[in-house]
Structure formats: C-alpha cells, structure tokens
Amino acid sequence: MFFAGYSGGRKSVLPGIASRKTVYANHCSEFIADSRAKYGVLKGNPIHEDMVYAARKAGLAYIVNVVINSRHRVIGAFSGDVEAAHSEGGRIFKRIVYGRKDNGTNCNYFQ
C-alpha cells in the first residue's frame, strides 16, 4: 500500500537515504492511521508531507519521475521541483487511471 500517496519524488530522500529511526518515525502508527495516508492522496497526507519536509531539508533540488504501463514502458515523464513535478505526475497518473477499465492496475508511478 502507498501510504504516501504515490511512489517517486521525495521518496529518494525519505526513505531513500534516511536513517532507520527517521523511516520508523515517518511510518509511525499515528501517520498510517490518518485517513489521508492512502494511495492517490497528497494534500494533508502526513506521511507525504513529512517526506517533502525531509527532501527540502536535505536540499533535493531536482527530480525525474515516470509513469510506466504493464509492459514497463514509459508513458509519461515529469521533472523539476520536488513538489511541482511530483504533483504534476500524480495529476496525469490519475487522469490515466480513471480513464481505464482496469482502474490503473497495469500502471505505476515511479521515480
């Protein structure tokens, strides 16, 4: 389950290069129990917001994310600011997913 909304973006820092203690704090029961800590939700999602905070503190200046299909082919690419590019990728991903008969089970959003 994607408690942080989507993969990619800020996850290159947290959990990517973060300490075990930081990852455990980010994945705490309080954050996971929050109703906004779920797939496809970024606004108000405490896990996502904590990851963005960590990425900013670490100085993450640029990201590259892609959406791939079930054949692992890139069907969308997004780069730039950690929040702006990741949010744009999420918007496009939602548009693709909600327009599909399989509800997006054959797509994923990665960094």
Side-chain angles (χ1 to χ4, degrees):
M1 175 140 208
F2 289 106
F3 295 113
Y6 298 105
S7 188
R10 68 279 184 250
K11 291 183 84 175
S12 60
V13 173
L14 176 58
I17 61 169
S19 70
R20 180 180 299 199
K21 180 179 177 181
T22 300
V23 173
Y24 284 165
N26 177 259
H27 288 66
C28 69
S29 60
E30 178 186 350
F31 283 6
I32 290 174
D34 190 290
S35 64
R36 296 161 296 184
K38 61 185 175 182
Y39 181 76
V41 175
L42 298 178
K43 187 175 182 179
N45 182 327
I47 296 174
H48 165 72
E49 291 176 352
D50 191 44
M51 289 176 171
V52 170
Y53 174 80
R56 294 281 185 216
K57 288 296 276 185
L60 183 62
Y62 193 86
I63 63 166
V64 177
N65 288 172
V66 298
V67 175
I68 60 172
N69 65 16
S70 61
R71 290 175 278 190
H72 302 284
R73 293 196 174 114
V74 174
I75 58 174
F78 312 91
S79 62
D81 175 75
V82 64
E83 288 181 86
H86 190 257
S87 292
E88 179 62 16
R91 280 191 290 280
I92 299 301
F93 181 73
K94 276 186 177 180
R95 192 174 332 153
I96 292 167
V97 167
Y98 293 126
R100 296 173 57 102
K101 292 179 184 177
D102 66 0
N103 292 322
T105 56
N106 289 317
C107 288
N108 212 328
Y109 184 31
F110 290 104
Q111 62 184 25

